[in-house]
Amino acid sequence: MQSFPQPLTAEEERYYLERYRGGDEAARNILIEKNLRLVAHIVKKYNNSGRDMDELIAIGIVGLVKAVNTFDVSKGNRIVTYAARCIENELLMMLRSERKLAREVSLYDPIGTDKEGNEISLLDIMETQEADVVEQIARDNSIRLLYENIQKLLTPREKEIIFSRYGLDGHSPATQREIAQNLGISRSYVSRIEKKALEKLKGAMET
């Protein structure tokens, strides 16, 4: 991975932000360049995503540029705090759009069997594929049964987490960390609730 320049001090950052607010495009470019190390730091968290690191850095830089362009200096925070969120959001949007079916191994855990005795996972139920009429009917029945069991067996918190994790019932897919932040609980607690909920659904689908 390429090396990046040292970040700005708080005083230097204020100086270049003032210059940029005055229309100095060179100051904008310095703010971007001096925060490239932040991009590299955040990208390291995604080194198991299967994507080339330089490509991830390029996506992160898009988020950094958006941050510099839209940063509101009146908020009182340093730009690095705001930029970190923008960079992370840009990476997550890219990974979700391109790898939305590759979330966690639990997505592949069997939760039942089809009419021929083959194991069915949540992934099998949620992904859309070409299918003949008989297969489509079986799939629709499995989806209907899944939703019925979710409503019947899961607690409100379990339902909220399952809907959010797997993009069900109009929700956008979310990571355990994002759900934990939204609910104000730990990621490990979200993981335990998710695992328990999936075990309930698996048991119901196998009967």
Side-chain angles (χ1 to χ4, degrees):
M1 186 184 297
Q2 66 195 84
S3 60
F4 297 102
Q6 291 294 325
L8 297 169
T9 65
E11 184 178 353
E12 290 172 333
E13 182 179 290
R14 285 194 297 270
Y15 170 76
Y16 286 111
L17 282 170
E18 288 291 338
R19 293 282 299 273
Y20 178 39
R21 285 200 304 173
D24 187 343
E25 287 297 315
R28 169 183 174 274
N29 294 337
I30 290 173
L31 287 166
I32 294 171
E33 178 185 354
K34 292 292 187 177
N35 280 289
L36 290 175
R37 185 177 294 270
L38 174 64
V39 174
H41 175 73
I42 293 175
V43 159
K44 287 180 181 178
K45 296 193 296 183
Y46 298 87
N47 59 3
N48 292 324
S49 66
R51 299 296 297 268
D52 180 78
M53 290 299 286
D54 287 338
E55 187 175 358
L56 289 173
I57 287 175
I59 297 296
I61 290 174
V62 172
L64 172 60
V65 171
K66 289 182 179 180
V68 172
N69 289 344
T70 60
F71 180 65
D72 184 356
V73 69
S74 67
K75 298 294 185 181
N77 296 324
R78 291 198 60 182
I79 194 172
V80 64
T81 304
Y82 178 66
R85 293 198 300 268
C86 292
I87 293 165
E88 188 105 35
N89 287 342
E90 203 69 29
L91 288 164
L92 287 173
M93 284 192 297
M94 181 272 295
L95 291 173
R96 284 175 189 162
S97 65
E98 295 189 1
R99 308 187 66 206
K100 62 183 178 180
L101 296 180
R103 288 193 280 274
E104 286 190 0
V105 67
S106 59
L107 191 58
Y108 299 89
D109 289 344
I111 61 170
T113 57
D114 60 19
K115 63 182 184 298
E116 297 177 352
N118 300 312
E119 287 186 337
I120 298 175
S121 68
L122 277 176
L123 178 62
D124 294 324
I125 292 175
M126 288 185 288
E127 67 182 350
T128 56
Q129 298 177 336
E130 292 289 336
D132 61 26
V133 174
V134 175
E135 291 174 338
Q136 189 61 52
I137 291 174
R139 183 178 297 278
D140 290 344
N141 286 337
S142 295
I143 293 174
R144 176 184 53 77
L145 182 59
L146 173 65
Y147 274 97
E148 287 178 356
N149 284 324
I150 286 175
Q151 295 296 338
K152 181 171 60 176
L153 300 175
L154 302 189
T155 66
R157 173 149 289 188
E158 288 172 341
K159 284 191 287 188
E160 183 176 6
I161 288 175
I162 290 298
F163 284 155
S164 296
R165 282 289 290 122
Y166 300 106
L168 301 174
D169 199 35
H171 291 70
S172 297
T175 65
Q176 290 180 346
R177 189 174 303 278
E178 289 174 322
I179 295 171
Q181 291 175 345
N182 290 337
L183 297 180
I185 57 180
S186 68
R187 190 204 61 78
S188 61
Y189 189 37
V190 171
S191 179
R192 290 197 299 271
I193 295 174
E194 178 186 351
K195 182 178 179 180
K196 183 178 179 181
L198 289 175
E199 287 173 351
K200 289 182 181 180
L201 294 174
K202 178 180 177 181
M205 298 292 282
E206 287 178 341
T207 57

